[in-house]
Amino acid sequence: MKLVLPEMLKVGLVNTLILAAASVVLGTVLGMIVAVMGLSRRRWLRWPAKVYTDIFRGLPAILTILLIGQGLSPITRHWWGPNPYPLGILALSLIAAAYIGEIFRSGIQSIEKGQLEAARALGFTYTSGMRLVVIPQGVRRVLPALVNQFIALVKESSLVYFLGLLASQRELFRIGQDAAATNGNLSPLLLAGIFYLIITVPLTHLVNYFDKRLREGRPILEEELARA
């Protein structure tokens, strides 16, 4: 464990967090677009959002990653060479967008319709009423579910390993597996598992804290958040 620990910290942990954070940012943007399309009054916007969600939620994550990583590689190699890292982020983002889109849609639909009607009565257009009144409240309600999605992305980042990463791009699982194969024991994989738990367990407790405070309808104070 001592031999692989520095590489886990400097390379594996950094790349795992980059994969998860980049995917959740891009996935959130795409997910918001999918949610708005799914809630649209226009059928030609709702149907593509529904088909997209059904496909990316229905396929196994590893299959989606391999199809995008290997299928788009001949096209993207003209831009950044045979580097699978960006395609790994893209695949994780597309998967996350399907789930985040559903999270946003359910959050927005949980807002009472009367609030949008009240905003329209005050002179807001449908778009500005959704953007300034309904969506901000919906985002607050789905915050615990979004943190759960980030936890899922941390774990699913290990699947990018199947695309074949460069030595400097390896995440926690890949480093653990390579070291285990070299040393002939499972201690590097155990160490990788400990790192995953260090990332995900505090986030799990943070989700529970958010959920409890939001159900109680009380604001989340900064000093309490620091203790969570």
Side-chain angles (χ1 to χ4, degrees):
M1 281 192 182
K2 291 182 180 179
L3 294 176
V4 76
L5 180 59
E7 194 172 12
M8 285 270 188
L9 284 170
K10 295 178 181 178
V11 180
L13 180 60
V14 173
N15 280 320
T16 295
L17 291 177
I18 289 175
L19 285 168
S23 302
V24 80
V25 171
L26 184 56
T28 299
V29 174
L30 293 174
M32 181 65 81
I33 295 172
V34 171
V36 172
M37 290 174 64
L39 292 169
S40 173
R41 297 175 177 175
R42 297 175 175 84
R43 189 175 180 179
W44 62 270
L45 282 175
R46 290 198 310 271
W47 272 100
K50 180 175 175 55
V51 170
Y52 174 89
T53 302
D54 287 345
I55 290 175
F56 282 94
R57 290 183 69 188
L59 291 175
I62 182 59
L63 179 58
T64 303
I65 290 171
L66 288 174
L67 286 174
I68 292 175
Q70 296 181 357
L72 296 182
S73 180
I75 301 172
T76 58
R77 69 173 59 244
H78 297 294
W79 298 327
W80 51 66
N83 183 357
Y85 204 74
L87 288 177
I89 292 176
L90 175 62
L92 290 174
S93 302
L94 293 175
I95 296 169
Y99 289 93
I100 292 174
E102 285 296 286
I103 292 171
F104 278 136
R105 187 178 63 80
S106 61
I108 292 170
Q109 286 181 325
S110 71
I111 304 299
E112 295 77 9
K113 293 182 179 179
Q115 295 203 29
L116 180 59
E117 294 170 358
R120 298 294 299 273
L122 292 173
F124 287 79
T125 63
Y126 175 81
T127 302
S128 61
M130 289 289 290
R131 181 170 57 87
L132 298 175
V133 177
V134 177
I135 291 178
Q137 295 184 71
V139 169
R140 182 185 176 189
R141 292 187 180 184
V142 302
L143 193 56
L146 288 177
V147 179
N148 270 329
Q149 186 58 43
F150 182 76
I151 293 173
L153 282 172
V154 169
K155 293 183 288 186
E156 288 178 352
S157 66
S158 63
L159 299 176
V160 178
Y161 146 76
F162 289 98
L163 294 180
L165 299 173
L166 303 177
S168 60
Q169 298 172 334
R170 293 180 300 169
E171 32 65 53
L172 290 170
F173 173 71
R174 177 63 186 272
I175 291 177
Q177 190 191 46
D178 288 351
T182 302
N183 300 331
N185 63 68
L186 296 178
S187 58
L189 283 174
L190 178 61
L191 182 61
I194 293 172
F195 271 103
Y196 281 113
L197 291 176
I198 290 173
I199 299 171
T200 57
V201 169
L203 288 173
T204 302
H205 288 284
L206 189 63
V207 169
N208 294 335
Y209 174 75
F210 279 150
D211 188 51
K212 180 181 178 184
R213 297 308 300 262
L214 291 176
R215 278 190 287 106
E216 292 174 348
R218 290 187 291 169
I220 301 171
L221 302 178
E222 291 185 3
E223 58 269 22
E224 292 177 333
L225 183 59
R227 294 198 300 268

